[in-house]
Amino acid sequence: MNPDSQNTPRYHQQHQKAIEAAASVFAEKGYHGASTQDIASRMGIQQGSLYYYFTSKEAALEEVCLAALRDYVDKMEQISKQVQPLKEKLTAAISAHLASYRSNSEALKVHNEQRLYLPEEKREKLKTLGSRYRQQLEDILIEGIHSGILNKSLDCHFAALSLIGLCNYWGAMLTRDSKLALNEITAKCMHFVLNGCLGDTN
Amino acid sequence: MNPDSQNTPRYHQQHQKAIEAAASVFAEKGYHGASTQDIASRMGIQQGSLYYYFTSKEAALEEVCLAALRDYVDKMEQISKQVQPLKEKLTAAISAHLASYRSNSEALKVHNEQRLYLPEEKREKLKTLGSRYRQQLEDILIEGIHSGILNKSLDCHFAALSLIGLCNYWGAMLTRDSKLALNEITAKCMHFVLNGCLGDTN
DNA sequence: ATTTTTTTCTATAAACCTATAGATTCTATG
DNA sequence: CATAGAATCTATAGGTTTATAGAAAAAAAT
């Protein structure tokens, strides 16, 4: 393959479609449970043709995870930058996290559930992006402490991770049960994270 | 195979070993990523011999999940039955949940991450057991409300599920990072669940 | 219109995987 | 110790899977 060929508009567009197809199939069947045949079928080409866009199945998983996380970190960065009170920011963050599970071709789900099947080396970029995301969340919480809203002695690192865990859990639920309402779950997560089980309501 | 043969002590013991081997391999490589060869090797027999203990690879996954959940529901039942204050009960529940990830041959992890690869019919028993577990947790919370400790308007159903999500997340972390201390994570989860980010410390 | 380049297809090698059948070894019991 | 039954092994059928190579079709450039 001529290396220049990767610069045509068509290549770019098809490559994108390939990533989406892979994300969708991996989300449904898991990395090992999905075949390159499945991915190719979903994007309407022959199995062998897929290798024009991915050097290997593993590379496909890597690209899916990277794209998902990059997308997501970007979104978080925007939220984090905006000047608005803590509660609004946090709600936006949770809502964005949960929403990705529904809409975004489930790529984030693939990242969360399948990335460990990548070899160590291929996971490094993911780790970097992942901790940047966690850091942004942490910063929002720290800011909340400074503005006097959150508890001074809150362990922000632990809280940020827990929030991620919580959102991943409910995000996965959302993809499985279409009856669940995104807004409702967002609000409940928000309330739970802020108040816990002891705290006063409203 | 003579159906009586399944009643010998040796069969029982080897069957148990097979379930543990399967749990360990599934936990590491995922259901589809693991081969029956892997499982057989781990228990030190030939690949074909495995079928003396499992009718199929899928049946192996089913047994692993069932065993894990049964074990776990039992443990929860005991905790739930004990007469002790809410905080102690909740701590015991969280600690037990997290501990299973470390010690229990990671079968619970397999249940949480791989059970969806089972066909609907084979998942029904799991659903029943799973909701029994959730219900027990919910009951602990309800009791906490009645005894005046927890917030009256707490959504116990949502809180119970969230707690499960949180424990699954930190449980998975514990298996990946052996430096994390079980007791510390238990205490932090406990504190987070009770107080959230707003609540007072201690 | 012809040539070049990109994109897709077909065919296939090589590896692997599940499940079964029948032979073989082990174990317990009379 | 001989024998029945349990447990394991070997070999393999039948299927799927990844990845590659070379042909063919489509698109773009000259």
Side-chain angles (χ1 to χ4, degrees), chain A residues 91-143:
Chain A
T91 304
I94 293 175
S95 176
H97 194 138
L98 295 178
S100 327
Y101 272 89
R102 274 265 163 92
S103 55
N104 265 12
S105 71
E106 293 146 317
L108 192 61
K109 177 179 177 178
V110 174
H111 166 267
N112 289 330
E113 297 178 1
Q114 314 289 326
R115 73 169 183 279
L116 290 174
Y117 299 130
L118 285 172
E120 187 65 27
E121 334 94 63
K122 295 200 175 174
R123 247 171 25 223
E124 260 161 45
K125 276 184 218 158
L126 294 177
K127 278 189 194 166
T128 311
L129 279 168
S131 48
R132 197 181 334 155
Y133 163 39
R134 198 228 337 111
Q135 190 59 54
Q136 278 164 353
L137 216 46
E138 226 174 297
D139 289 346
I140 294 181
L141 295 176
I142 292 173
E143 203 185 306

Side-chain angles (χ1 to χ4, degrees), chain B residues 154-182:
Chain B
L154 178 70
D155 179 341
C156 292
H157 185 75
F158 183 87
L161 285 171
S162 297
L163 183 51
I164 292 171
L166 192 70
C167 287
N168 287 345
Y169 180 78
W170 282 107
M173 289 286 237
L174 281 166
T175 63
R176 262 183 287 150
D177 184 350
S178 56
K179 286 196 299 292
L180 289 177
L182 179 65

Side-chain angles (χ1 to χ4, degrees), chain B residues 78-147:
Chain B
Q78 295 202 328
I79 292 171
S80 163
K81 261 194 307 209
Q82 277 167 28
V83 182
Q84 55 179 346
L86 172 89
K87 289 193 184 180
E88 275 70 20
K89 253 190 195 180
L90 211 49
T91 304
I94 293 174
S95 175
H97 194 138
L98 295 178
S100 324
Y101 273 88
R102 274 266 162 93
S103 55
N104 266 11
S105 71
E106 294 146 315
L108 193 61
K109 177 178 177 178
V110 174
H111 166 268
N112 289 330
E113 297 178 1
Q114 314 289 327
R115 71 168 184 280
L116 290 174
Y117 300 129
L118 286 172
E120 186 67 25
E121 335 93 63
K122 295 200 175 174
R123 246 168 30 220
E124 260 161 45
K125 276 183 217 159
L126 293 178
K127 278 190 193 164
T128 311
L129 278 169
S131 47
R132 198 182 332 156
Y133 163 39
R134 198 222 345 105
Q135 189 60 56
Q136 280 165 351
L137 217 45
E138 226 173 297
D139 288 346
I140 294 181
L141 296 176
I142 291 172
E143 203 184 305
I145 293 183
H146 289 156
S147 66

Side-chain angles (χ1 to χ4, degrees), chain A residues 73-92:
Chain A
V73 172
D74 282 357
K75 231 179 281 176
M76 272 300 292
E77 208 140 75
Q78 295 202 329
I79 292 172
S80 162
K81 262 194 306 210
Q82 276 167 29
V83 181
Q84 55 178 348
L86 172 89
K87 289 193 184 181
E88 274 69 19
K89 251 190 196 181
L90 211 48
T91 304

